[in-house]
Every structure is written in C-alpha cells, then in structure tokens.
Amino acid sequence: MKCEPTITAVLLVLVAGLSASPAMARDTCLVGHWSPVGNGAAEWVQRQAPGMKMATPQQAASLNLRADGGYSARSQMQAEATSGAMSARSGGSFSAQGGWSSSGGQLTLTPSASSMDGTMQISAGKGPPMGVKMPKAAAQPTTYQYSCSGPTLETRMRIPGVADPIVQRYRRQ
C-alpha cells in the first residue's frame, strides 16, 4: 500500500523544520554552522506523490551544532503545492534550541525551546480559498541517520510507514 500525503500534511512537513537533544557522545565532524542544500522535504514529496507539483520560492535555514552539545536551528520558508483542482500556499518560520548528541550514525536533536509561526491558504476548486493558521506545537526530540565528511552533512529522517526517508544535504559555512 502506497502512502499518498495530503497537501496539508506535506506543507506541515516542509515548514516544521528541525528540532534537537541533550549531549552525550558527539561526533566532532558535526560541530559547525550548516546550511541546507536544496529542500529534502520537497524532494521527498515529489517522490511520494509524483502528480503533485511543489515549489519553495523562498527558503532560508541554518543549523548550528556547537562543540558544547548545544544547538540552534532556524528556518523561514514559503511553499506552494498543486494537485488537480486543489492548491495550497504556506509561509512560516521555525526556530529551536537545545542539545544534540550522536552515536552509531544517528544524530539526535532535543529542543529545550522552540517556536513556529505560519499560515496556510487552501483552495479546492471554485470556492473561495480557506486560510488556516499553522498549529502551535512544541518541537519534539528527533533522531536522524547521518553521514558527515568535512564540508558536507547528509541527514535521513524516517517517516513511520514509509520506506523512503527524507534526505537533506547541508554544506558547512
């Protein structure tokens, strides 16, 4: 059975961004200020729902993993999606800070504070568009598989029930 995400779920994944975790073991390769290359979530959506058209006309994000085990993450994005007669637009920002650890090829981010603010406008056919405020929810600890080598970092986030992970690449700043 193939999981087909709805436009709303897809845009929530895109705007959600990053989260974080308390420090135990830490891979020193991960320490640094990272910027995303491309948009792994949008690429994942295209693989899961090939008929859906995605665009991220504005994206700014950063992930700072400090040697002391602290981290900060910020993202600001606009996203658009269409599928048949349905379309959606969203815009928002996300920030989090907390602690991080790594072990056995897994990076765990555990937030101590986070904020998310955004809106979504959904159009379904001929009726007027419906505006929705993104739900306010605290970021949760997140674990990624990762590989790190010098100036590059790649994370893989598993989605329950879907074999294909969200792959995000970063470059060191």
Side-chain angles (χ1 to χ4, degrees):
M1 174 162 84
K2 183 169 177 153
C3 175
E4 300 226 12
T6 65
I7 290 176
T8 303
V10 166
L11 291 174
L12 286 173
V13 166
L14 288 172
V15 174
L18 303 167
S19 41
S21 133
M24 294 307 241
R26 288 186 289 277
D27 180 345
T28 57
C29 180
L30 293 168
V31 174
H33 188 82
W34 300 94
S35 294
V37 175
N39 186 309
E43 294 164 12
W44 180 83
V45 168
Q46 292 296 286
R47 291 191 308 268
Q48 302 310 306
M52 185 178 292
K53 294 185 179 165
M54 290 288 309
T56 51
Q58 178 189 6
Q59 173 180 303
S62 67
L63 172 62
N64 187 19
L65 300 172
R66 297 188 311 269
D68 68 1
Y71 88 98
S72 61
R74 298 186 186 284
S75 64
Q76 189 169 13
M77 179 182 296
Q78 291 179 351
E80 301 169 357
T82 59
S83 180
M86 292 192 68
S87 66
R89 288 181 173 206
S90 70
S93 61
F94 172 83
S95 65
Q97 61 185 17
W100 70 275
S101 64
S102 62
S103 179
Q106 294 190 333
L107 167 63
T108 301
L109 303 176
T110 303
S112 58
S114 66
S115 69
M116 185 167 109
D117 185 37
T119 59
M120 184 181 320
Q121 186 176 26
I122 302 170
S123 299
K126 298 179 183 182
M130 178 179 73
V132 179
K133 188 105 171 114
M134 294 288 194
K136 300 273 185 191
Q140 299 296 312
T142 306
T143 298
Y144 305 88
Q145 292 177 315
Y146 79 91
S147 60
C148 181
S149 177
T152 62
L153 168 63
E154 179 179 284
T155 61
R156 293 176 174 269
M157 182 170 66
R158 298 275 173 203
I159 305 298
V162 181
D164 183 25
I166 296 175
V167 177
Q168 180 62 60
R169 291 169 185 83
Y170 296 85
R171 72 176 166 265
R172 190 182 302 274
Q173 295 300 298

